[in-house]
Amino acid sequence: MPTVVLMDVSLSMTRPVSLDGIEEFQRKNLAVHGLNMLFEHMASNYRLEFTSLMAFSSLWELLVPFTRDYNALQEALSNLEDYDKTCVEAALNGVSNVVQQEWGSACPCQVVLVTDGSLGIGKGSLRHSLQTLKQRGDDKKFPLPFPFPTKLFIMCIANAEELQMTDAMDNLEELLCLSGGDGQIFTMEGPLCMKSVQTMFGKLIDLVYSPFHAVLHCGNLSSDVQVFPRPEPVVMDEEVEPMPRTVNVDEVGTGTTDELEEEPSASQMAGKSPNFCVLLHGSLKVEGMVALVQLGPEWYGMLYSQADSKKKSNLMMSLFDPGPEPLPWLGKISHLGPISEAADNPYGEDDSKSPFPVQPQVKRSYAQNVTVWIKASGLQTDVQKILRNARKLPDKTQTFYKELNRLRKAALAFGFWELLKGVADLLERECTMLPDSAHPDAAFQLSHAAQQLKLASTGDSQYAAFDHNIVPMHTDFSS
């Protein structure tokens, strides 16, 4: 999960703070000290993660693009310059552009905003931005929420009392809500000093960047591993009393399933010692396969190799939704096992068949031939199809009524009564425009169909039954 560090370099960050009554520092110096602490921690524990550094005042600047070189990030911090007023909205637009260019809109990202809580002055200030949220056009929308999943952490080089003296805290809380609510506002406790800023950044590290050690088991083989980013608790909405599920295994199972067990453990293996994790990664990479992993009771995922570049690849883990059947086509994970234990080979003697996908006992609603109108063009196409068949009556009588009943059922399902009346009017118009050479049966069928649609548009249960089909009118001309 990449991280964007957004550093406030406005004039308010140059306000002095007294340390120990002797030496004077600026708030910017405290922020730099806290960020250096964060980068040193990430270099030791999160070296596989990408981090970017941006600076902002009334404009924004990308100082260091996404990198794993934490020395470059620390060097950029030491060369920060001071600029003019604070404009958080412009900086957030910059974050959106930088992340989307590098990662697209599907990759989750963490944004660490470091500021003194000053909102800026006049137009462009955070206060002005939030007050004008509902007065904007589509071309000037506020950048939050970001188009990609994000967590926003606001690091205030100020204490809570100072922020609450104005409306700064209220505005920052509203900013956090606009981002989606995932994140937190951190403030300094006590006087503004090096110790306070270390404590504040220490809380961020404990919450977001603490290493996640685990043990990977497969039969009698095991290996200490570290997971980046730290797996988060998952809450299933459909549960009556939802409880967060965490990656935590107490007992190791048997069979071909790899299991991940949370167990704080420091790897003491030397570089030349056999390592199961290296063996698994190499095997999956060469064979182009995945391995199932169990993270807890009825919670599974998969391990696979993903190339970072032509020379580098990572062992990745993707988590499925908790439950015994996370992939419907695969069936219950607990039912999987070696072919040798099956009474008959499920793939046949010559691999001519496959037990997958597992067919559901109940036919899914989305497997039905359902009419869906997502765009106006789809509805227009269906109406035009009916009119084309109407002009070819009586030759296309069966096709005409088939398409008419399909549209009728969809309109009734959506409660789209106006559509039924509108199509009825179109059919009546087609009837009046029939040429003299038209077959007499065409006029009867069009009038009959229009009348049935009008009756259905009233919503009367006698004519608007969903299972009812309009059948062709029997005439002396029809065969």
Side-chain angles (χ1 to χ4, degrees), residues 102-278:
E102 185 74 23
W103 304 101
S105 58
C107 180
C109 185
Q110 293 175 153
V111 179
V112 179
L113 171 60
V114 184
T115 180
D116 61 343
S118 176
L119 305 179
I121 301 171
K123 189 175 181 181
S125 67
L126 181 59
R127 185 181 295 106
H128 179 267
S129 296
L130 297 178
Q131 288 173 348
T132 58
L133 279 179
K134 298 180 180 179
Q135 304 166 15
R136 299 167 178 248
D138 292 338
D139 57 332
K140 294 184 179 180
K141 281 187 175 181
F142 193 70
L144 294 183
F146 289 122
F148 47 87
T150 184
K151 287 188 175 182
L152 177 62
F153 300 97
I154 304 175
M155 314 301 292
C156 294
I157 310 301
N159 52 44
E161 292 78 10
E162 180 183 348
L163 296 174
Q164 288 169 351
M165 289 174 64
T166 62
D167 60 346
M169 181 61 82
D170 294 335
N171 283 274
L172 292 176
E173 288 176 349
E174 186 174 352
L175 187 71
L176 188 64
C177 289
L178 287 173
S179 72
D182 287 338
Q184 191 171 328
I185 299 175
F186 293 87
T187 58
M188 298 176 65
E189 297 178 358
L192 305 187
C193 60
M194 293 293 185
K195 184 178 180 181
S196 297
V197 81
Q198 287 176 358
T199 302
M200 180 176 69
F201 274 87
K203 291 179 179 178
L204 174 68
I205 290 171
D206 292 341
L207 179 66
V208 185
Y209 297 104
S210 57
F212 185 89
H213 293 287
V215 180
L216 186 66
H217 292 276
C218 181
N220 295 324
L221 300 175
S222 64
S223 176
D224 292 345
V225 294
Q226 191 170 345
V227 183
F228 302 93
R230 186 182 184 89
E232 298 181 0
V234 176
V235 178
M236 301 303 290
D237 294 336
E238 65 267 18
E239 293 181 356
V240 179
E241 295 182 359
M243 292 289 291
R245 298 197 184 197
T246 57
V247 178
N248 185 7
V249 177
D250 296 325
E251 55 187 39
V252 180
T254 59
T256 59
T257 303
D258 305 321
E259 300 200 352
L260 189 68
E261 176 180 356
E262 182 179 3
E263 180 181 306
S265 172
S267 178
Q268 300 175 352
M269 297 182 181
K272 296 182 180 180
S273 300
N275 189 295
F276 166 62
C277 189
V278 175

Side-chain angles (χ1 to χ4, degrees), residues 301-318:
M302 67 179 182
L303 299 174
Y304 55 96
S305 177
Q306 184 179 49
D308 199 20
S309 63
K310 290 184 178 180
K311 295 183 178 180
K312 294 183 179 180
S313 62
N314 301 317
L315 183 61
M316 306 291 290
M317 179 172 68
S318 294

Side-chain angles (χ1 to χ4, degrees), residues 169-439:
M169 181 61 82
D170 294 335
N171 283 274
L172 292 176
E173 288 176 349
E174 186 174 352
L175 187 71
L176 188 64
C177 289
L178 287 173
S179 72
D182 287 338
Q184 191 171 328
I185 299 175
F186 293 87
T187 58
M188 298 176 65
E189 297 178 358
L192 305 187
C193 60
M194 293 293 185
K195 184 178 180 181
S196 297
V197 81
Q198 287 176 358
T199 302
M200 180 176 69
F201 274 87
K203 291 179 179 178
L204 174 68
I205 290 171
D206 292 341
L207 179 66
V208 185
Y209 297 104
S210 57
F212 185 89
H213 293 287
V215 180
L216 186 66
H217 292 276
C218 181
N220 295 324
L221 300 175
S222 64
S223 176
D224 292 345
V225 294
Q226 191 170 345
V227 183
F228 302 93
R230 186 182 184 89
E232 298 181 0
V234 176
V235 178
M236 301 303 290
D237 294 336
E238 65 267 18
E239 293 181 356
V240 179
E241 295 182 359
M243 292 289 291
R245 298 197 184 197
T246 57
V247 178
N248 185 7
V249 177
D250 296 325
E251 55 187 39
V252 180
T254 59
T256 59
T257 303
D258 305 321
E259 300 200 352
L260 189 68
E261 176 180 356
E262 182 179 3
E263 180 181 306
S265 172
S267 178
Q268 300 175 352
M269 297 182 181
K272 296 182 180 180
S273 300
N275 189 295
F276 166 62
C277 189
V278 175
L279 173 65
L280 176 65
H281 183 196
S283 303
L284 296 178
K285 181 179 179 181
V286 172
E287 298 295 333
M289 301 179 74
V290 303
L292 285 175
V293 58
Q294 183 173 358
L295 303 109
E298 294 190 342
W299 193 10
Y300 302 91
M302 67 179 182
L303 299 174
Y304 55 96
S305 177
Q306 184 179 49
D308 199 20
S309 63
K310 290 184 178 180
K311 295 183 178 180
K312 294 183 179 180
S313 62
N314 301 317
L315 183 61
M316 306 291 290
M317 179 172 68
S318 294
L319 308 187
F320 303 146
D321 287 335
E325 264 181 288
L327 304 175
W329 62 269
L330 194 60
K332 289 188 176 182
I333 301 290
S334 59
H335 289 178
L336 296 176
I339 296 178
S340 57
E341 294 185 3
D344 298 314
N345 189 339
Y347 293 94
E349 296 300 329
D350 54 353
D351 290 341
S352 59
K353 59 181 183 178
S354 173
F356 305 108
V358 175
Q359 297 299 323
Q361 296 180 353
V362 180
K363 197 172 183 181
R364 306 292 185 185
S365 60
Y366 53 76
Q368 307 285 347
N369 186 19
V370 178
T371 301
V372 179
W373 298 310
I374 298 175
K375 297 181 179 179
S377 57
L379 173 58
Q380 184 179 5
T381 300
D382 285 346
V383 173
Q384 287 175 341
K385 194 182 297 183
I386 292 173
L387 295 179
R388 279 199 304 271
N389 288 310
R391 291 163 190 156
K392 297 178 181 179
L393 291 172
D395 296 337
K396 294 287 186 179
T397 299
Q398 297 302 323
T399 308
F400 169 73
Y401 279 99
K402 177 184 175 183
E403 294 297 331
L404 189 70
N405 283 312
R406 188 169 71 89
L407 180 135
R408 175 185 175 278
K409 282 191 174 185
L412 290 174
F414 299 142
F416 201 169
W417 316 112
E418 297 85 354
L419 175 63
L420 297 175
K421 189 175 184 306
V423 175
D425 293 340
L426 288 175
L427 295 179
E428 287 181 342
R429 181 172 176 272
E430 287 293 326
C431 186
T432 61
M433 295 176 64
L434 286 173
D436 295 337
S437 58
H439 194 285

